[in-house]
Each structure stands twice: as C-alpha cells, then as structure tokens.
Amino acid sequence: MELHSKNALRALEYASERELETRDFYQRCYDQAKTPGAREILSGLITDEQHHHDILMRIITDATRGKTPSPELMHTEAAKVRVARAFSNMSIEDPNFEPDRENVRGILEKALEIEKESFSNYMKAAEECSTPEIIAVYRYLAGEENKHYIILDNLLSYLDVPGRWLYYEENLVFQNG
C-alpha cells in the first residue's frame, strides 16, 4: 500500500477517527470512575489515545503535502509500571470502591474489545503497508494498544478481587507487550 494512495489516506483517517472515539470513550469512563487508581489509569489512556491521533494526523498532513512523514513516537511507561503505580494506593476500604466496581466493569470489558480490535487493525495495516517508516508507526501503535489491553485487564482483575490482586501478563492476547 503506497502512503500517498487514496486507500492509504482513508485508512489513516479511519484510524485517526477511531483514536478520537476511543479517547472520548475513556473520557466517559473517567467521568464515571470514583476510585483514584482507576481514574489515574483512564487519564493515562486518554492522553495516549490523543497522542496516537496526533501521530496519525501528522502522517496524513505530511503525506497530503507530498512530504515524507516523520512522526515523533512517544515512549510510554511499561504497562507493569503504570498498573503498579495506579494500584499502589488503592484499598478495599475505599468508600468509593463498591460503586466504582459495578459502574466501570462493563465499560472496561468494552474497552478490552476496542483495544483488541485496534491491535488487530494496526497489525493488519503494518502487513499491508510498503513504507518502512509507516510500518514502524503501525507496529508502535499496535504495541501501545497491547499495552492498554494489559492495563485494562489488570484493572478488571483488581476490581474482581481487590484483596488478592497481582499484576499478571500470563494470559496475554497479544504479543510484544
């Protein structure tokens, strides 16, 4: 797939729109969350999704101007670091914990589906692309979606059994976490 083709630009625009939709979805989750750790995780996901949108928009802008895209890929913390920091202060005694668990669980399960779909879409786009720099971007974005999946999966695990929560990666759906 050539970067300047109409199909490539449409695919990039679609991905950019999906990043904004996901950002807005996480914002709605954040607005409903009560637990500080859940809010911290969701806040980070909002920031990440906005950054992904910005990367894609820079690529689109450069491509439509006939320039070679050179997006800046932001390094984000490992999922384990983000999860450990967010959960370090969470307590089962938190008065907001119970309503938060019931309120946010269904939303987080939907978020897992979104991240899984995004991962698949970016990996497919990387396979179909012929521009090495854009392949690297798609793989970077797929890795970010994988990281989000890990974070959300751990948050759900915590909400299920907060007293016995442990960070885990054993049952990853994706690779390259």
Side-chain angles (χ1 to χ4, degrees), residues 125-162:
E127 291 169 8
E128 294 176 357
C129 188
S130 60
T131 309
E133 296 82 7
I134 303 306
I135 292 169
V137 170
Y138 282 138
R139 288 187 178 152
Y140 164 81
L141 292 170
E144 288 291 297
E145 305 306 348
N146 182 42
K147 203 180 291 186
H148 293 173
Y149 186 95
I150 294 167
I151 291 168
L152 291 164
D153 195 38
N154 276 275
L155 178 55
L156 278 166
S157 174
Y158 180 85
L159 293 174
D160 282 343
V161 189

Side-chain angles (χ1 to χ4, degrees), residues 5-22:
S5 75
K6 287 183 183 183
N7 285 343
L9 289 173
R10 266 190 249 126
L12 290 167
E13 288 166 354
Y14 173 78
S16 174
E17 290 170 13
R18 292 284 302 187
E19 294 295 339
L20 287 179
E21 289 170 7
T22 304

Side-chain angles (χ1 to χ4, degrees), residues 52-93:
H52 300 164
H53 166 74
D54 294 345
I55 289 170
L56 291 163
M57 289 308 297
R58 278 193 296 274
I59 293 170
I60 292 167
T61 300
D62 287 350
T64 56
R65 292 180 179 163
K67 292 171 55 180
T68 302
S70 57
E72 293 179 31
L73 304 181
M74 175 181 82
H75 173 73
T76 58
E77 290 179 307
K80 186 172 187 171
V81 172
R82 291 169 78 172
V83 169
R85 183 182 59 245
F87 291 142
S88 66
N89 297 321
M90 290 178 79
S91 165
I92 199 166
E93 287 81 32

Side-chain angles (χ1 to χ4, degrees), residues 33-132:
K34 307 269 187 267
T35 306
R39 289 176 64 85
E40 181 177 338
I41 284 174
L42 291 165
S43 176
L45 294 174
I46 291 165
T47 300
D48 289 353
E49 299 298 346
Q50 180 63 51
H51 179 70
H52 300 164
H53 166 74
D54 294 345
I55 289 170
L56 291 163
M57 289 308 297
R58 278 193 296 274
I59 293 170
I60 292 167
T61 300
D62 287 350
T64 56
R65 292 180 179 163
K67 292 171 55 180
T68 302
S70 57
E72 293 179 31
L73 304 181
M74 175 181 82
H75 173 73
T76 58
E77 290 179 307
K80 186 172 187 171
V81 172
R82 291 169 78 172
V83 169
R85 183 182 59 245
F87 291 142
S88 66
N89 297 321
M90 290 178 79
S91 165
I92 199 166
E93 287 81 32
D94 184 338
N96 292 317
F97 179 77
E98 199 60 40
D100 202 31
R101 178 173 51 196
E102 295 308 314
N103 226 8
V104 175
R105 181 165 185 68
I107 293 170
L108 293 176
E109 287 171 349
K110 176 64 176 165
L112 285 175
E113 292 173 23
I114 291 169
E115 295 300 338
K116 188 175 180 179
E117 178 184 348
S118 294
F119 174 86
S120 296
N121 288 340
Y122 285 129
M123 289 304 288
K124 182 178 181 202
E127 291 169 8
E128 294 176 357
C129 188
S130 60
T131 309

